[in-house]
Amino acid sequence: MPAHSSYDAIIIGAGVIGACTAYELARKGLRTLSIDKLPEAGYGSTSGSCAIIRTYYSALESCAIAYEGWHYWKDWQNYVGVTDEKGLIKYHNTGCLVIKTEHNHHLDRVCAMMDRIGCPYEHVAVSDIAQRMPNADTRQYEPAKRPDDEGFGQPTGPSVEGAVFFPNGGYVNDPKLSAHNVQRAAEAHGAEFLFNRAVVEVLKSSDRVCGVLLDDGSRIEAPVVVNVAGPHSSKINAMAGVDGGMNISTRALRHEVAHVPAPKGVDFENEGVVYSDSDIQTYCRPEIGNHILIGSEDPECDVKEWIDDPDNFDDSFSEQWNVLVMRMAQRMPDLHIPGKARGVVALYDVTEDWMPIYDRSDLGGFYMAVGTSGNQYKNAPVAGKMMAALIEACENGHDHDRDPVRFHLDHLDMDISLGAFSRLREINQDSSFSVIG
Ligand SMILES: Cc1cc2nc3c(=O)[nH]c(=O)nc-3n(C[C@H](O)[C@H](O)[C@H](O)COP(=O)(O)OP(=O)(O)OC[C@H]3O[C@@H](n4cnc5c(N)ncnc54)[C@H](O)[C@@H]3O)c2cc1C
């Protein structure tokens, strides 16, 4: 049971973004209660995350918050400001190598946005790609195909066009632990967490939210409720009755990530980089034990597995696991495809343009940090701060829908408009319409 029957704010969900939101609200002096139906912080989709930290997206605001976020991962101890009996996460700054393709406009737009936010990068000639991706086959393979399509594994051109290396990027070793670290940070500011309890109803009084009903029948009151329910976000929005007032919606999408040994003779664990390749529409990163995590960049030839009930989906590996590894083997010819599938099957919470919604709603006091589209782990610390600023402004009477709140990114010394993440925005047509965002 929670210690009190009423709070200043209830946060539904204790994944990495929910925990960061609780932390920042508690730091502002609000008495918060985070509720999660799972047993621990970060147990939901956060635990399946590849936890890649990179700065390239299709919108300036997305690049800016990602680069701002990088500073927090790099200096995690300072961000959380506490110890954790489970230890703190480790951030590995490997840098990120991204292949230039027509699909990503040869990274011209991305580099222009990096210039605007002051984020360093270097162009990499084709002949130098193998220095960062050992033994890489640099021939062109696009468009991405399925292994049983004609021409799979056959080059379509003599070489890709080159790449860009972003020195400020990498990955976090344990995403679930990061949520726990932030839980401890939030608790140090008085935040409370309640696990193994589901929110089954969002309570309203006239035109405002006034609390939640839990699955054990208890009612907890609060003038502010924040939906950070990950792939369950559309269910919570429906409970609050706010889904009709949104231009952008959220939907759960099943995804598989493969975990395979690095090719023999390659020390990918210590020398590998975060790698994104829209020529084969695949990404990867190093993993402990000299392994590689391989994920998909959602090519059109793959059928999307939308999930209506996030509590009930097939979490066993399918043929897609093989597809991922075979696609990566085009670039890494010595990659061995193990007989037994290992990795992760989890859900993204996807919007139409694969950008998140960090916003208020049409219901007074009800807010959402949702639609994280498989690409917002890295932004969690900034998302927490943006949500706290947005909630503070709106609760003080600011009309965010008419006059979007401006948010200052301290490390970049730059302001952005939070209208970029509005539920009322038009679909971002510059989006990659993939996990790249
Ligand atoms: C396979 C995979 C790979 C990814 N890789 C990356 C990556 O490399 N880099 C990156 O930046 N992002 C990545 N992401 C995305 C990133 O992990 C997510 O955006 C982020 O973890 C979302 O955090 P969250 O706190 O919003 O949601 P979650 O971690 O899903 O937390 C939501 C919580 O809400 C709880 N909840 C739901 N409904 C209720 C209810 N009714 N009552 C109580 N509790 C409820 C759930 O139990 C859950 O714990 C990846 C995601 C996946 C699935």
Side-chain angles (χ1 to χ4, degrees):
M1 280 299 291
H4 309 279
S5 60
S6 75
Y7 289 83
D8 296 328
I10 288 171
I11 298 101
I12 306 174
V16 70
I17 297 176
C20 289
T21 303
Y23 179 32
E24 298 298 342
L25 288 172
R27 285 223 280 204
K28 283 188 182 288
L30 273 70
R31 202 165 63 163
T32 65
L33 176 68
S34 296
I35 303 170
D36 202 299
K37 60 184 183 175
L38 292 171
E40 286 174 37
Y43 218 89
S45 72
T46 293
S47 67
S49 184
C50 293
I52 288 171
I53 311 300
R54 53 149 170 119
T55 54
Y56 41 94
Y57 281 90
S58 59
L60 182 73
E61 292 83 357
S62 300
C63 297
I65 63 171
Y67 189 31
E68 176 78 5
W70 172 78
H71 292 82
Y72 294 104
W73 296 110
K74 190 172 62 99
D75 195 7
W76 187 248
Q77 169 71 77
N78 191 29
Y79 168 66
V80 290
V82 291
T83 54
D84 181 333
E85 73 284 2
K86 295 189 178 188
L88 294 184
I89 54 113
K90 286 193 178 56
Y91 167 64
H92 298 277
N93 197 76
T94 59
C96 307
L97 185 72
V98 186
I99 297 294
K100 293 179 185 176
T101 64
E102 232 176 275
H103 192 79
N104 61 25
H105 310 282
H106 324 284
L107 293 170
D108 290 344
R109 294 179 187 176
V110 164
C111 290
M113 290 190 286
M114 293 301 117
D115 289 338
R116 285 182 67 187
I117 63 171
C119 181
Y121 62 88
E122 30 187 282
H123 293 280
V124 179
V126 175
S127 53
D128 294 336
I129 288 177
Q131 285 173 14
R132 303 204 188 266
M133 276 296 275
N135 307 331
D137 172 345
T138 53
R139 289 176 295 178
Q140 185 186 62
Y141 288 96
E142 70 178 351
K145 301 174 192 69
R146 298 195 61 82
D148 45 7
D149 287 345
E150 207 184 315
F152 180 87
Q154 303 292 319
T156 52
S159 94
V160 292
E161 293 171 41
V164 173
F165 183 68
F166 300 83
N168 294 343
Y171 69 95
V172 169
N173 68 329
D174 187 340
K176 179 166 169 285
L177 179 61
S178 65
H180 191 269
N181 291 166
V182 184
Q183 176 192 341
R184 288 289 181 257
E187 285 168 341
H189 290 267
E192 292 176 34
F193 285 75
L194 177 67
F195 292 105
N196 296 312
R197 276 283 155 264
V199 170
V200 293
E201 204 179 314
V202 173
L203 305 172
K204 299 174 214 172
S205 163
S206 59
D207 61 346
R208 273 196 70 93
V209 74
C210 65
V212 296
L213 180 69
L214 301 186
D215 54 355
D216 64 353
S218 50
R219 287 167 67 96
I220 306 178
E221 290 172 11
V224 167
V225 174
V226 195
N227 174 4
V228 202
H232 293 77
S233 70
S234 62
K235 293 201 158 204
I236 302 289
N237 278 345
M239 277 181 205
V242 299
D243 39 353
M246 298 168 61
N247 270 359
I248 303 288
S249 61
T250 61
R251 215 170 156 194
L253 180 67
R254 184 181 176 283
H255 249 263
E256 297 184 26
V257 173
H259 178 256
V260 299
K264 269 212 172 74
V266 174
D267 183 2
F268 202 71
E269 179 176 359
N270 293 306
E271 289 166 16
V273 292
V274 165
Y275 179 75
S276 166
D277 188 339
S278 56
D279 184 65
I280 52 170
Q281 301 242 321
T282 305
Y283 71 86
C284 75
R285 73 147 168 93
E287 177 59 333
I288 52 162
N290 202 22
H291 277 66
I292 309 181
L293 285 186
I294 304 172
S296 170
E297 293 189 358
D298 312 289
E300 274 174 20
C301 58
D302 289 357
V303 175
K304 291 195 172 50
E305 288 187 67
W306 298 107
I307 301 295
D308 290 331
D309 181 1
D311 290 315
N312 184 18
F313 69 96
D314 184 357
D315 63 358
S316 48
F317 295 105
S318 71
E319 176 53 22
Q320 185 64 10
W321 186 91
N322 257 324
V323 173
L324 293 176
V325 187
M326 288 180 73
R327 280 196 186 125
M328 186 49 81
Q330 295 172 113
R331 197 61 79 216
M332 287 183 174
D334 302 328
L335 190 70
H336 172 69
I337 304 183
K340 187 168 165 34
R342 289 180 59 193
V344 168
V345 182
L347 300 179
Y348 294 168
D349 182 40
V350 175
T351 63
E352 286 82 355
D353 56 9
W354 295 73
M355 272 176 75
I357 305 172
Y358 297 129
D359 202 1
R360 51 163 289 177
S361 71
D362 289 0
L363 176 65
F366 186 83
Y367 298 85
M368 62 186 92
V370 302
T372 60
S373 302
N375 60 39
Q376 292 293 302
Y377 173 82
K378 63 186 73 57
N379 293 332
V382 185
K385 287 178 187 291
M386 293 192 304
M387 289 307 295
L390 177 79
I391 291 167
E392 185 175 56
C394 293
E395 291 304 302
N396 284 326
H398 187 89
D399 187 346
H400 173 63
D401 288 341
R402 276 190 183 202
D403 175 19
V405 170
R406 294 195 67 79
F407 180 76
H408 188 70
L409 301 170
D410 290 339
H411 292 94
L412 274 58
D413 193 16
M414 169 182 178
D415 280 357
I416 55 164
S417 165
L418 296 191
F421 306 111
S422 166
R423 73 202 185 286
L424 304 176
R425 68 174 181 259
E426 296 301 321
I427 292 172
N428 169 23
Q429 297 299 341
D430 289 336
S431 171
S432 66
F433 296 101
S434 78
V435 72
I436 296 300

